[in-house]
Amino acid sequence: EAGVTQFPSHSVIEKGQTVTLRCDPISGHDNLYWYRRVMGKEIKFLLHFVKESKQDESGMPNNRFLAERTGGTYSTLKVQPAELEDSGVYFCASSEGPTDTQYFGPGTRLTVL
Amino acid sequence: EDQVTQSPEALRLQEGESSSLNCSYTVSGLRGLFWYRQDPGKGPEFLFTLYSAGEEKEKERLKATLTKKESFLHITAPKPEDSATYLCAVRGPPGNTGKLIFGQGTTLQVKP
């Protein structure tokens, strides 16, 4: 069974540009999560989708971040415009139910110059 | 505020030297404590879930235990391939949905 996949694995952009990260969850997993780890800090929750609906977006840092999950399959996380402090590793995870084990993807390392 | 603290930040062991990693948590209404392993450049890999005080789970050389305030990850006779960062996370109370709150992790290095 294929795990959670994320694309790209690395992205280097300049401040002010736009970047879109993609996550493909495990097939059949209705719940999809975005997390990020900035340098020296712990992994922090960004938001939680149940199918195509945003169940919890309490961790989204500001309105420069937009997450979508059209059709309840893959999800995208867009950062527009990117700022220096957005640099870090963005992880996606998925689970069958909201209380089930979350399986993580390999992450996207974002560097904003 | 819900919080997870892991100690030590880093741990160096000789192969075969057993030890324990600590995860202290503060959360109102624990709905699961999770241990993950993370290798460099990869995402967290699930190890265990614990739900209630007194619960224990084992996998190969790893054993996780849970009390009302903390969890321990015991590593028995570790091997170099056990070198990784070990992450502890908790799921908070209802209304918190699936959100996990992570500690900073313990980076373990096992030398042959």
Side-chain angles (χ1 to χ4, degrees):
Chain A
E1 179 181 317
V4 177
T5 57
Q6 294 186 244
F7 182 83
S9 57
H10 294 86
S11 181
V12 181
I13 61 173
E14 294 193 351
K15 177 182 172 180
Q17 290 186 321
T18 297
V19 63
T20 300
L21 314 181
R22 172 170 170 146
C23 168
D24 286 78
I26 293 171
S27 178
H29 282 192
D30 287 338
N31 292 266
L32 186 150
Y33 312 83
W34 283 98
Y35 294 85
R36 83 173 170 179
R37 185 170 197 164
V38 297
M39 183 75 74
K41 299 285 189 179
E42 68 274 20
I43 295 173
K44 286 197 170 179
F45 170 83
L46 296 178
L47 90 161
H48 170 199
F49 281 103
V50 178
K51 297 186 179 177
E52 65 274 14
S53 300
K54 292 176 184 175
Q55 180 72 18
D56 179 358
E57 51 184 332
S58 62
M60 294 289 265
N62 52 61
N63 60 10
R64 296 186 293 104
F65 289 74
L66 175 64
E68 294 181 323
R69 193 181 182 197
T70 307
T73 54
Y74 71 90
S75 175
T76 58
L77 180 65
K78 180 189 288 187
V79 185
Q80 180 182 29
E83 297 289 345
L84 300 179
E85 63 264 25
D86 300 332
S87 295
V89 182
Y90 289 76
F91 293 105
C92 176
S94 72
S95 67
E96 288 190 49
T99 60
D100 293 325
T101 297
Q102 294 181 26
Y103 296 93
F104 282 75
T108 293
R109 180 172 294 278
L110 174 64
T111 302
V112 183
L113 302 175
Chain B
E1 182 184 343
D2 299 339
Q3 193 169 354
V4 177
T5 303
Q6 292 187 246
S7 61
E9 289 186 15
L11 182 62
R12 286 186 178 183
L13 299 174
Q14 288 296 129
E15 183 172 2
E17 179 187 1
S18 301
S19 188
S20 296
L21 313 182
N22 177 263
C23 171
S24 297
Y25 62 90
T26 305
V27 64
S28 51
L30 181 70
R31 294 187 303 137
L33 184 141
F34 303 83
W35 282 99
Y36 286 85
R37 168 191 170 130
Q38 187 175 20
D39 292 297
K42 296 190 176 181
E45 176 189 343
F46 172 73
L47 293 173
F48 304 110
T49 307
L50 302 166
Y51 288 102
S52 54
E55 190 174 358
E56 299 183 351
K57 290 203 176 162
E58 287 188 66
K59 180 181 179 181
E60 296 181 353
R61 295 175 293 283
L62 301 178
K63 181 168 128 179
T65 61
L66 180 66
T67 72
K68 288 187 178 179
K69 293 185 177 180
E70 56 192 356
S71 176
F72 292 94
L73 185 64
H74 306 279
I75 303 177
T76 302
K79 298 182 178 182
E81 53 261 42
D82 294 322
S83 298
T85 295
Y86 291 85
L87 301 168
C88 174
V90 298
R91 181 182 291 128
N96 201 8
T97 66
K99 172 182 175 180
L100 295 182
I101 301 159
F102 280 87
Q104 286 203 313
T106 293
T107 300
L108 173 65
Q109 183 179 31
V110 182
K111 294 195 168 187

